[in-house]
Amino acid sequence: MNYILSKLLEAVEYGKVDQGSPYPPNLKGMDGAHELTQKALDAGIMPQEILETALIPAMGNVGRKFSENKIFVPQMLMSARAMGASMAHLKPFFASGKIKARGTFVIGTVKGDLHDIGKNLVAMMVEGAGWTIVDLGVDADAESFLEALSNNPGAVVGLSALLTTTMINMGEIVEKIKENAPGTVILVGGAPVSTDFCRKIGADFYSPDPRGAVEFLKQLAS
Ligand code: B1M
Protein backbone atom coordinates (compact mmCIF):
# COMPACT_ATOMS: atom_id res chain seq x y z
CA MET A 1 0.00 0.00 0.00
CA ASN A 2 1.09 3.57 -0.64
CA TYR A 3 3.12 4.89 2.36
CA ILE A 4 0.93 7.96 2.99
CA LEU A 5 -2.22 5.84 2.87
CA SER A 6 -0.77 3.32 5.29
CA LYS A 7 0.10 6.15 7.72
CA LEU A 8 -3.41 7.59 7.27
CA LEU A 9 -4.97 4.20 7.98
CA GLU A 10 -2.88 4.04 11.15
CA ALA A 11 -3.80 7.62 12.17
CA VAL A 12 -7.54 6.93 11.86
CA GLU A 13 -7.30 3.51 13.48
CA TYR A 14 -5.45 4.94 16.50
CA GLY A 15 -7.40 8.21 16.62
CA LYS A 16 -4.66 10.68 15.73
CA VAL A 17 -6.65 13.72 14.57
CA ASP A 18 -3.83 16.13 13.70
CA GLN A 19 -0.19 16.80 14.45
CA GLY A 20 -0.99 18.93 17.53
CA SER A 21 -3.33 16.43 19.16
CA PRO A 22 -1.79 14.75 22.22
CA TYR A 23 -3.66 11.48 21.65
CA PRO A 24 -2.42 8.77 21.28
CA PRO A 25 0.79 9.50 23.26
CA ASN A 26 2.96 7.19 21.11
CA LEU A 27 2.14 9.25 17.99
CA LYS A 28 2.91 12.62 19.67
CA GLY A 29 4.23 15.20 17.18
CA MET A 30 3.52 12.98 14.19
CA ASP A 31 1.15 13.84 11.35
CA GLY A 32 -2.49 13.04 11.99
CA ALA A 33 -5.43 12.35 9.71
CA HIS A 34 -5.67 16.06 8.84
CA GLU A 35 -2.11 16.41 7.50
CA LEU A 36 -1.91 12.95 5.96
CA THR A 37 -5.11 13.42 3.95
CA GLN A 38 -3.80 16.70 2.58
CA LYS A 39 -0.50 14.98 1.72
CA ALA A 40 -2.33 12.14 -0.03
CA LEU A 41 -4.35 14.64 -2.10
CA ASP A 42 -1.19 16.65 -2.88
CA ALA A 43 0.42 13.42 -4.07
CA GLY A 44 -2.43 13.00 -6.55
CA ILE A 45 -4.18 10.12 -4.81
CA MET A 46 -7.86 10.08 -5.73
CA PRO A 47 -10.37 10.82 -2.92
CA GLN A 48 -12.18 7.53 -3.63
CA GLU A 49 -8.93 5.61 -3.16
CA ILE A 50 -8.20 7.46 0.09
CA LEU A 51 -11.63 6.48 1.32
CA GLU A 52 -11.58 2.87 0.22
CA THR A 53 -7.94 2.02 0.96
CA ALA A 54 -7.36 3.90 4.20
CA LEU A 55 -10.44 5.31 5.91
CA ILE A 56 -13.01 2.54 5.63
CA PRO A 57 -10.52 -0.28 6.43
CA ALA A 58 -9.32 1.76 9.46
CA MET A 59 -12.86 1.90 10.84
CA GLY A 60 -13.25 -1.80 10.11
CA ASN A 61 -10.19 -2.49 12.27
CA VAL A 62 -11.57 -0.26 15.01
CA GLY A 63 -14.86 -2.19 14.99
CA ARG A 64 -13.07 -5.54 15.14
CA LYS A 65 -10.90 -4.45 18.08
CA PHE A 66 -13.96 -3.08 19.88
CA SER A 67 -15.74 -6.43 19.43
CA GLU A 68 -12.70 -8.20 20.86
CA ASN A 69 -12.64 -5.83 23.88
CA LYS A 70 -9.20 -4.58 22.89
CA ILE A 71 -10.40 -0.96 22.74
CA PHE A 72 -13.33 0.88 24.29
CA VAL A 73 -15.78 3.69 23.43
CA PRO A 74 -13.34 6.61 23.99
CA GLN A 75 -10.86 5.11 21.51
CA MET A 76 -13.67 4.53 19.01
CA LEU A 77 -14.68 8.14 19.42
CA MET A 78 -11.13 9.39 18.74
CA SER A 79 -11.05 7.28 15.58
CA ALA A 80 -14.36 8.79 14.50
CA ARG A 81 -12.88 12.28 15.08
CA ALA A 82 -9.80 11.42 13.04
CA MET A 83 -12.02 10.10 10.26
CA GLY A 84 -14.04 13.33 10.40
CA ALA A 85 -10.84 15.39 10.04
CA SER A 86 -9.98 13.41 6.95
CA MET A 87 -13.45 13.55 5.45
CA ALA A 88 -13.44 17.34 5.75
CA HIS A 89 -10.67 17.36 3.10
CA LEU A 90 -12.54 14.95 0.83
CA LYS A 91 -15.92 16.65 0.96
CA PRO A 92 -15.17 19.37 -1.64
CA PHE A 93 -14.21 16.66 -4.14
CA PHE A 94 -17.36 14.62 -3.66
CA ALA A 95 -19.74 17.54 -3.28
CA SER A 96 -18.59 19.93 -5.97
CA GLY A 97 -21.95 21.70 -6.05
CA LYS A 98 -21.43 22.46 -9.73
CA ILE A 99 -24.20 20.19 -10.92
CA LYS A 100 -27.80 21.37 -11.24
CA ALA A 101 -30.00 19.97 -8.45
CA ARG A 102 -31.81 16.77 -9.46
CA GLY A 103 -34.06 16.67 -6.44
CA THR A 104 -33.96 16.74 -2.66
CA PHE A 105 -32.65 13.93 -0.52
CA VAL A 106 -33.61 13.96 3.16
CA ILE A 107 -31.20 11.80 5.15
CA GLY A 108 -30.74 10.90 8.80
CA THR A 109 -29.52 8.24 11.19
CA VAL A 110 -32.51 6.64 12.87
CA LYS A 111 -33.74 7.28 16.38
CA GLY A 112 -31.52 5.85 19.12
CA ASP A 113 -28.45 5.69 16.90
CA LEU A 114 -25.60 8.22 17.07
CA HIS A 115 -23.38 6.82 14.30
CA ASP A 116 -23.05 9.37 11.52
CA ILE A 117 -19.91 8.63 9.53
CA GLY A 118 -21.57 6.33 6.98
CA LYS A 119 -24.60 8.61 6.76
CA ASN A 120 -22.32 11.61 6.13
CA LEU A 121 -20.50 9.73 3.39
CA VAL A 122 -23.77 8.87 1.66
CA ALA A 123 -24.92 12.51 1.97
CA MET A 124 -21.61 13.76 0.59
CA MET A 125 -21.72 11.50 -2.45
CA VAL A 126 -25.40 12.05 -3.19
CA GLU A 127 -24.76 15.80 -2.99
CA GLY A 128 -21.88 15.32 -5.41
CA ALA A 129 -24.32 13.60 -7.78
CA GLY A 130 -26.42 16.77 -7.91
CA TRP A 131 -29.02 16.39 -5.17
CA THR A 132 -29.90 18.99 -2.55
CA ILE A 133 -29.32 17.47 0.88
CA VAL A 134 -31.45 17.97 3.96
CA ASP A 135 -29.43 16.32 6.73
CA LEU A 136 -31.41 15.54 9.87
CA GLY A 137 -28.31 14.35 11.69
CA VAL A 138 -28.42 11.46 14.14
CA ASP A 139 -31.15 10.15 16.44
CA ALA A 140 -33.75 11.31 13.92
CA ASP A 141 -37.36 10.32 14.62
CA ALA A 142 -40.33 9.90 12.28
CA GLU A 143 -41.66 13.36 13.12
CA SER A 144 -38.46 15.07 11.96
CA PHE A 145 -38.62 13.17 8.65
CA LEU A 146 -42.28 14.10 8.21
CA GLU A 147 -41.52 17.75 8.92
CA ALA A 148 -38.69 17.71 6.38
CA LEU A 149 -41.02 16.10 3.84
CA SER A 150 -43.69 18.72 4.37
CA ASN A 151 -41.05 21.41 3.76
CA ASN A 152 -39.67 19.50 0.75
CA PRO A 153 -42.58 17.75 -0.96
CA GLY A 154 -41.53 14.88 -3.22
CA ALA A 155 -38.12 14.51 -1.58
CA VAL A 156 -36.51 11.06 -1.46
CA VAL A 157 -35.70 9.80 2.04
CA GLY A 158 -32.52 8.01 3.16
CA LEU A 159 -32.33 6.18 6.49
CA SER A 160 -29.11 4.94 8.03
CA ALA A 161 -28.78 2.48 10.94
CA LEU A 162 -25.69 0.96 12.53
CA LEU A 163 -27.07 -0.72 15.62
CA THR A 164 -29.02 -3.98 15.65
CA THR A 165 -30.68 -2.78 18.85
CA THR A 166 -32.21 0.34 17.28
CA MET A 167 -32.59 -0.67 13.62
CA ILE A 168 -36.16 -1.60 14.49
CA ASN A 169 -36.79 2.17 14.66
CA MET A 170 -36.11 2.24 10.93
CA GLY A 171 -39.26 0.14 10.46
CA GLU A 172 -41.34 2.54 12.56
CA ILE A 173 -40.07 5.55 10.61
CA VAL A 174 -40.81 3.87 7.26
CA GLU A 175 -44.30 2.97 8.43
CA LYS A 176 -45.10 6.53 9.54
CA ILE A 177 -43.70 8.07 6.36
CA LYS A 178 -45.67 5.68 4.13
CA GLU A 179 -48.80 6.42 6.16
CA ASN A 180 -48.47 10.22 6.26
CA ALA A 181 -46.58 10.96 3.05
CA PRO A 182 -47.65 8.17 0.68
CA GLY A 183 -45.58 7.83 -2.47
CA THR A 184 -42.35 8.88 -0.73
CA VAL A 185 -39.44 6.78 -1.95
CA ILE A 186 -37.31 5.46 0.92
CA LEU A 187 -33.76 4.19 0.63
CA VAL A 188 -32.15 2.36 3.56
CA GLY A 189 -28.59 1.38 4.45
CA GLY A 190 -26.07 0.75 7.20
CA ALA A 191 -24.03 -2.23 8.36
CA PRO A 192 -26.81 -4.41 9.88
CA VAL A 193 -29.37 -3.58 7.16
CA SER A 194 -30.04 -5.99 4.29
CA THR A 195 -32.31 -6.42 1.28
CA ASP A 196 -34.47 -8.78 3.33
CA PHE A 197 -34.81 -6.27 6.17
CA CYS A 198 -35.59 -3.52 3.65
CA ARG A 199 -38.44 -5.62 2.20
CA LYS A 200 -39.67 -6.58 5.64
CA ILE A 201 -40.06 -2.97 6.78
CA GLY A 202 -41.57 -1.81 3.48
CA ALA A 203 -38.74 0.47 2.33
CA ASP A 204 -38.12 0.80 -1.41
CA PHE A 205 -34.43 0.09 -1.81
CA TYR A 206 -31.41 -1.10 0.15
CA SER A 207 -27.90 -0.09 -0.74
CA PRO A 208 -24.84 -1.42 1.07
CA ASP A 209 -22.77 1.64 0.11
CA PRO A 210 -22.95 5.26 -1.08
CA ARG A 211 -22.25 4.24 -4.66
CA GLY A 212 -25.39 2.07 -4.78
CA ALA A 213 -27.39 4.91 -3.27
CA VAL A 214 -26.17 7.30 -5.96
CA GLU A 215 -26.95 4.78 -8.74
CA PHE A 216 -30.46 4.22 -7.40
CA LEU A 217 -31.13 7.97 -7.24
CA LYS A 218 -29.74 8.46 -10.73
CA GLN A 219 -32.21 5.91 -12.11
CA LEU A 220 -35.02 7.50 -10.15
CA ALA A 221 -34.28 10.95 -11.55
CA SER A 222 -33.91 9.82 -15.17
CO1 B1M B 1 -20.29 2.13 17.64
N1 B1M B 1 -20.85 0.31 17.24
N2 B1M B 1 -21.30 2.11 19.30
N3 B1M B 1 -19.56 3.89 17.92
N4 B1M B 1 -19.17 1.79 16.16
C1 B1M B 1 -20.48 -0.26 15.95
C2 B1M B 1 -21.58 0.01 14.91
C3 B1M B 1 -20.32 -1.79 16.30
C4 B1M B 1 -20.57 -2.72 15.09
C5 B1M B 1 -18.93 -2.04 16.93
C6 B1M B 1 -18.70 -3.49 17.27
O1 B1M B 1 -19.24 -3.98 18.24
N5 B1M B 1 -17.92 -4.21 16.49
C7 B1M B 1 -21.38 -1.96 17.45
C8 B1M B 1 -22.80 -2.32 17.02
C9 B1M B 1 -23.11 -3.76 17.32
C10 B1M B 1 -24.49 -4.11 16.94
O2 B1M B 1 -25.38 -3.33 16.88
N6 B1M B 1 -24.64 -5.36 16.68
C11 B1M B 1 -21.32 -0.58 18.10
C12 B1M B 1 -21.74 -0.31 19.44
C13 B1M B 1 -22.15 -1.52 20.26
C14 B1M B 1 -21.78 0.98 19.97
C15 B1M B 1 -22.26 1.42 21.36
C16 B1M B 1 -23.53 0.72 21.86
C17 B1M B 1 -21.08 1.20 22.32
C18 B1M B 1 -21.34 1.49 23.78
O3 B1M B 1 -21.70 2.56 24.14
N7 B1M B 1 -21.17 0.45 24.57
C19 B1M B 1 -22.48 2.94 21.18
C20 B1M B 1 -23.91 3.27 20.68
C21 B1M B 1 -24.20 4.73 20.69
C22 B1M B 1 -25.49 5.04 19.94
O4 B1M B 1 -25.48 5.12 18.75
N8 B1M B 1 -26.60 5.16 20.66
C23 B1M B 1 -21.50 3.22 20.08
C24 B1M B 1 -20.86 4.44 19.94
C25 B1M B 1 -19.93 4.73 18.95
C26 B1M B 1 -19.15 6.04 18.88
C27 B1M B 1 -20.00 7.28 19.25
C28 B1M B 1 -17.99 5.94 19.84
C29 B1M B 1 -18.60 6.02 17.41
C30 B1M B 1 -19.51 6.73 16.40
C31 B1M B 1 -19.06 8.16 16.12
C32 B1M B 1 -19.76 8.72 14.92
O5 B1M B 1 -20.35 8.05 14.09
N9 B1M B 1 -19.65 10.03 14.84
C33 B1M B 1 -18.69 4.53 17.08
C34 B1M B 1 -18.00 3.92 16.00
C35 B1M B 1 -16.96 4.78 15.31
C36 B1M B 1 -18.25 2.58 15.58
C37 B1M B 1 -17.53 1.75 14.49
C38 B1M B 1 -16.16 1.35 15.04
C39 B1M B 1 -17.34 2.42 13.16
C40 B1M B 1 -18.62 2.93 12.50
C41 B1M B 1 -18.24 3.65 11.25
O6 B1M B 1 -18.20 4.87 11.22
N10 B1M B 1 -17.84 2.89 10.20
C42 B1M B 1 -18.52 0.53 14.32
C43 B1M B 1 -17.85 -0.76 13.90
C44 B1M B 1 -17.79 -0.92 12.38
O7 B1M B 1 -18.58 -0.39 11.65
N11 B1M B 1 -16.87 -1.72 11.94
C45 B1M B 1 -19.33 0.59 15.54
C46 B1M B 1 -17.33 3.46 8.94
C47 B1M B 1 -18.49 3.85 8.03
C48 B1M B 1 -17.95 4.40 6.73
O8 B1M B 1 -19.22 2.66 7.76
O9 B1M B 1 -21.27 3.47 9.03
O10 B1M B 1 -21.15 1.10 8.10
P1 B1M B 1 -20.80 2.53 8.00
O11 B1M B 1 -21.40 3.10 6.63
C49 B1M B 1 -21.17 2.44 5.41
C50 B1M B 1 -22.29 1.49 5.00
O12 B1M B 1 -22.93 0.89 6.10
C51 B1M B 1 -23.18 2.32 4.14
O13 B1M B 1 -22.29 3.23 3.52
C52 B1M B 1 -21.20 3.55 4.37
C53 B1M B 1 -19.93 3.62 3.55
O14 B1M B 1 -19.62 2.40 2.96
N12 B1M B 1 -24.28 3.09 4.71
C54 B1M B 1 -25.34 3.41 3.92
C55 B1M B 1 -24.44 3.64 5.92
N13 B1M B 1 -25.58 4.30 5.96
C56 B1M B 1 -26.17 4.19 4.75
C57 B1M B 1 -27.35 4.71 4.24
C58 B1M B 1 -27.68 4.42 2.92
C59 B1M B 1 -26.87 3.64 2.12
C60 B1M B 1 -25.69 3.11 2.61
O15 B1M B 1 -28.79 4.89 2.35
C61 B1M B 1 -29.60 5.81 3.02
Side-chain angles (χ1 to χ4, degrees):
M1 191 199 298
N2 171 287
Y3 178 74
I4 304 173
L5 292 184
S6 70
K7 295 310 279 178
L8 178 57
L9 193 158
E10 181 185 46
V12 173
E13 182 172 339
Y14 292 95
K16 177 77 176 164
V17 178
D18 57 28
Q19 205 180 56
S21 56
Y23 180 84
N26 62 319
L27 295 181
K28 197 173 170 206
M30 314 236 324
D31 282 346
H34 168 61
E35 293 82 10
L36 289 162
T37 309
Q38 190 55 57
K39 284 185 179 171
L41 289 168
D42 291 345
I45 301 172
M46 299 303 285
Q48 192 72 32
E49 189 182 348
I50 296 174
L51 194 62
E52 285 172 7
T53 313
L55 304 186
I56 292 182
M59 292 314 263
N61 292 348
V62 171
R64 187 175 34 75
K65 287 195 284 186
F66 181 75
S67 300
E68 293 165 355
N69 288 323
K70 288 184 177 152
I71 61 164
F72 301 96
V73 172
Q75 284 105 318
M76 250 194 330
L77 206 47
M78 289 312 293
S79 292
R81 285 208 188 132
M83 175 126 180
S86 183
M87 275 164 60
H89 287 271
L90 304 186
K91 187 168 172 147
F93 292 88
F94 291 119
S96 71
K98 284 180 189 152
I99 312 164
K100 194 171 165 279
R102 294 193 177 166
T104 300
F105 187 57
V106 176
I107 188 166
T109 301
V110 300
K111 196 174 161 199
D113 192 335
L114 303 177
H115 296 84
D116 67 357
I117 294 172
K119 184 263 300 165
N120 292 345
L121 273 174
V122 173
M124 203 188 273
M125 302 221 180
V126 169
E127 188 179 5
W131 289 70
T132 301
I133 302 296
V134 176
D135 189 343
L136 301 180
V138 295
D139 195 22
D141 59 12
E143 285 64 38
S144 56
F145 280 98
L146 288 171
E147 194 186 331
L149 280 167
S150 77
N151 294 332
N152 301 277
V156 178
V157 167
L159 303 176
S160 177
L162 262 287
L163 294 173
T164 47
T165 45
T166 53
M167 67 193 278
I168 183 93
N169 297 338
M170 199 176 241
E172 282 175 30
I173 295 171
V174 170
E175 199 184 318
K176 287 199 178 151
I177 292 175
K178 294 284 181 188
E179 205 177 290
N180 294 287
T184 303
V185 176
I186 307 176
L187 163 67
V188 294
V193 182
S194 63
T195 303
D196 271 0
F197 183 72
C198 166
R199 279 202 204 108
K200 199 173 136 200
I201 63 173
D204 298 287
F205 188 74
Y206 158 71
S207 170
D209 51 36
R211 207 180 297 215
V214 167
E215 283 308 314
F216 172 72
L217 291 171
K218 241 185 220 168
Q219 281 176 22
L220 207 64
S222 64

